[in-house]
């Protein structure tokens, strides 16, 4: 007589699927979630977008431009009691990468702090003079 071929699971292959009486059956959605791909590159898309984000480079003013700004600030110094409104374009450095952006604002000037080389506006904003690109009356 020939020996019957034995397989590893022959004794249990025809049994019904076990259902636990203690633990509730997992939903198909939760069961499928176990096999979803692992998100190893979380944040990678954000890093790519940040790298692609464009910034401007800081423009060093020519000597004559610096002199014009200085002369205009000295003129404004005599008018501070009237809180003159000025339109300023200045360089705002980027906190995350090299470069920054040029911003134009209109505000009332309160003080020119020559000791700290800053402009103080009536709304409390302070701006370093070295970041100025242009300034004019509104």
């Amino acid at each position: 007589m020939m020996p019957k071929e034995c397989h590893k699971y022959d004794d249990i292959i025809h049994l019904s699927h076990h259902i636990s009486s203690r633990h509730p059956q997992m939903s198909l959605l939760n069961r499928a979630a176990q096999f979803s791909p692992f998100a190893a590159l979380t944040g990678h898309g954000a890093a790519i977008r940040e790298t692609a984000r464009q910034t401007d480079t800081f423009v060093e003013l020519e000597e004559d431009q610096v002199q014009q700004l200085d002369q205009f600030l000295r003129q404004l110094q005599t008018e501070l009691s009237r809180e003159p409104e000025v339109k300023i374009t200045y360089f705002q450095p980027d906190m995350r990468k090299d470069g920054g952006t040029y911003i134009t604002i209109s505000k009332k000037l309160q003080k020119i702090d020559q000791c700290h080389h800053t402009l103080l506006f009536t709304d409390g904003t302070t701006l370093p003079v070295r970041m100025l690109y242009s300034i004019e009356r509104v």
Side-chain angles (χ1 to χ4, degrees):
M1 197 162 141
M2 288 195 93
K4 185 178 173 187
E5 227 178 280
C6 245
H7 290 23
K8 195 172 185 175
Y9 300 108
D10 279 350
D11 58 335
I12 63 168
I13 194 82
H14 297 295
L15 294 177
S16 62
H17 177 70
H18 172 73
I19 298 174
S20 174
S21 58
R22 282 191 203 162
H23 304 289
Q25 195 166 6
M26 187 181 285
S27 73
L28 287 176
L29 182 64
N30 287 343
R31 189 168 166 78
Q34 292 181 49
F35 301 102
S36 64
F38 174 67
L41 297 177
T42 301
H44 184 67
I48 290 173
R49 282 189 300 278
E50 176 62 24
T51 302
R53 187 172 56 87
Q54 296 292 313
T55 57
D56 295 323
T57 55
F58 181 71
V59 175
E60 291 284 338
L61 297 178
E62 298 292 326
E63 187 63 34
D64 62 325
Q65 292 172 305
V66 172
Q67 288 175 359
Q68 286 174 351
L69 278 176
D70 189 47
Q71 182 180 0
F72 190 77
L73 290 174
R74 275 190 257 119
Q75 219 173 20
L76 285 174
Q77 182 76 37
T78 63
E79 304 170 21
L80 288 177
S81 61
R82 293 182 293 203
E83 296 179 341
E85 187 165 350
V86 292
K87 179 177 169 183
I88 294 178
T89 301
Y90 68 97
F91 184 75
Q92 173 82 45
D94 195 294
M95 294 297 158
R96 292 185 227 141
K97 61 194 296 184
D98 287 341
T101 186
Y102 280 90
I103 298 172
T104 302
I105 57 171
S106 292
K107 294 183 181 271
K108 289 186 177 189
L109 185 61
Q110 181 179 355
K111 180 180 178 182
I112 300 173
D113 187 339
Q114 293 178 357
C115 181
H116 295 104
H117 304 287
T118 57
L119 304 179
L120 178 64
F121 298 94
T122 56
D123 66 356
T125 305
T126 303
L127 181 67
V129 173
R130 64 183 164 76
M131 294 298 174
L132 283 181
Y133 181 75
S134 68
I135 185 168
E136 60 187 59
R137 281 189 186 82
V138 176

